[in-house]
Amino acid sequence: MSPRVTDSVSSAVAVLRQGGLVGLPTETVYGLAGDAFRPMTVARIFAAKNRPEFDPLIVHLATSAELRRVARDVPEAAQKLADRFWPGPLTLVLPRQSEVPDLVTSGLDTVAVRVPDHPLAQLVLRESGLCLAAPSANPFGGLSPTTAEHVERGLGDRVDLILDGGPCRVGVESTIIHIDADNRATLLRPGGLPLEAIEAVIGPVDTPTTNSDDDRPMAPGMLLRHYAPSHSLRLVEDWPPLAERGELGCLAYGEVPTGFGSLVSLPADDDLTAAAARFFPALHQLDESTVTGIVARRFPEHGLGRALNDRLTRAAAKEPACA
Ligand code: AMP
Ligand code: MG
């Protein structure tokens, strides 16, 4: 790997203090991190990812005590969730402080914020004292990175330094919840924290129907085609006939179908935690194999299965990432 991949926290802090970009390990996926309060740095994040500017970024904090640096108001339900789940794979969308650059929030009156649960991300946040804007460290619309190598391969020299924290423990992006002034909670993106766990703390959460039937994103940036491999991915009810399998890659769950040109079988468990941790690595692996396409079946719709089905549906969607 290139010399830009390091395990040195102090090097990462130095780059960030100078306004540079760091591939940052978190428990969900690797982030492309930069100082959230430097508009030039934030602009570089969008450029490096080729990300449209209507797709706002998540701001990462060292602790929930820092919430007021970016959020002007913290409704009671949000505070409860922060107390219970931070650090962890939960993003809260809250009213923003006016000092947060418009580019971070895509001009919205809200800001997305979370406290990551990864020892290196924590050290970088604490030692730098910065609030870090960090979308996933991959080219826009593509597979999310869960290793330093994925970041290197996807972004190359568009990132100044990559902090290698090993493979991500959770493996899918954070769950995003909007809390309004009346403490009403809405799920904007299923993710690494199961909805069941959130509802156990604050009661029912609105789950707007997914945008699979129309092209209105639930949240800005939640476009239908996203998280996509370069090979075409097809969601199937049943595996294709044996005769067609040789040319195909297969993403299976808790079973080992035979005859595929390339196969990754994710382990089955109660809340799909183990499957989630290996989901993006599996898609990266299948994408690199010499197949003509990838097939997958839906996961059980509970625990982290909800997030995995969301990512699969978007990966299989035909529309271009940025229509
Ligand atoms: P990523 O960091 O690539 O996982 O993407 C972050 C996602 O957070 C975006 O695509 C948006 O869907 C969502 N998001 C960020 N800020 C806001 C906000 N202020 N309101 C609603 N959704 C947001
Ligand atoms: Mg992303």
Side-chain angles (χ1 to χ4, degrees):
M1 266 199 246
S2 88
R4 281 175 306 108
V5 181
T6 178
D7 59 5
S8 162
V9 168
S10 55
S11 305
V13 169
V15 167
L16 290 165
R17 284 209 175 121
Q18 288 159 18
L21 304 186
V22 168
L24 185 73
T26 81
E27 80 281 28
T28 57
V29 302
Y30 274 70
L32 179 61
D35 183 348
F37 283 96
R38 283 202 203 204
M40 291 293 284
T41 298
V42 179
R44 274 192 67 205
I45 295 178
F46 279 92
K49 281 182 62 79
N50 202 14
R51 180 175 176 120
E53 291 179 4
F54 59 75
D55 190 359
L57 307 181
I58 296 172
V59 178
H60 294 68
L61 307 175
T63 73
S64 58
E66 293 185 288
L67 252 180
R68 296 282 172 170
R69 290 173 76 181
V70 295
R72 93 175 160 267
D73 189 29
V74 183
E76 193 188 330
Q79 191 62 53
K80 270 192 192 165
L81 291 175
D83 291 345
R84 174 68 185 80
F85 295 116
W86 282 353
L90 171 69
T91 294
L92 296 172
V93 173
L94 303 172
R96 72 184 266 206
Q97 288 287 13
S98 52
E99 292 78 20
V100 178
D102 277 337
L103 202 47
V104 170
T105 66
S106 301
L108 296 170
D109 193 35
T110 51
V111 63
V113 60
R114 86 175 187 103
V115 175
D117 184 18
H118 188 289
L120 293 188
Q122 277 288 330
L123 282 171
V124 168
L125 285 161
R126 282 165 198 266
E127 288 182 21
S128 67
L130 298 171
C131 301
L132 295 176
S136 53
N138 57 320
F140 180 71
L143 293 175
S144 295
T146 59
T147 64
E149 201 187 337
H150 292 159
V151 181
E152 169 82 48
R153 232 183 297 144
L155 292 179
D157 59 11
R158 282 173 284 169
V159 51
D160 298 311
L161 197 79
I162 300 168
L163 190 57
D164 190 349
C168 298
R169 175 173 59 80
V170 175
V172 283
E173 297 80 356
S174 57
T175 302
I176 306 181
I177 300 275
H178 175 262
I179 308 278
D180 71 12
D182 299 324
N183 287 295
R184 265 223 345 217
T186 307
L187 177 72
L188 298 183
R189 174 177 74 184
L193 183 67
L195 191 60
E196 294 89 335
I198 295 168
E199 292 191 321
V201 174
I202 57 164
V205 171
D206 287 348
T207 52
T209 45
T210 52
N211 53 335
S212 50
D213 295 337
D214 60 42
D215 54 9
R216 269 177 310 118
M218 279 199 291
M222 286 302 281
L223 297 168
L224 186 49
R225 183 167 169 82
H226 211 90
Y227 310 106
S230 14
H231 287 311
S232 77
L233 186 143
R234 201 153 41 95
L235 263 174
V236 296
E237 295 284 332
D238 299 301
W239 298 126
L242 262 179
E244 294 172 21
R245 293 186 187 180
E247 292 196 333
L248 294 173
C250 171
L251 180 69
Y253 171 72
E255 55 173 335
V256 185
T258 54
F260 284 101
S262 179
L263 169 86
V264 179
S265 180
L266 302 176
D269 65 347
D270 283 351
D271 54 7
L272 291 95
T273 307
R278 291 171 56 183
F279 175 77
F280 278 117
L283 283 177
H284 279 282
Q285 185 183 321
L286 292 170
D287 210 20
E288 281 150 30
S289 62
T290 49
V291 291
T292 57
I294 301 169
V295 289
R297 291 169 65 175
R298 290 178 70 80
F299 295 87
E301 184 77 8
H302 64 262
L304 296 195
R306 204 186 299 264
L308 298 185
N309 286 332
D310 172 81
R311 307 304 186 266
L312 269 187
T313 308
R314 292 175 202 282
K318 295 283 181 294
E319 286 91 319
C322 187

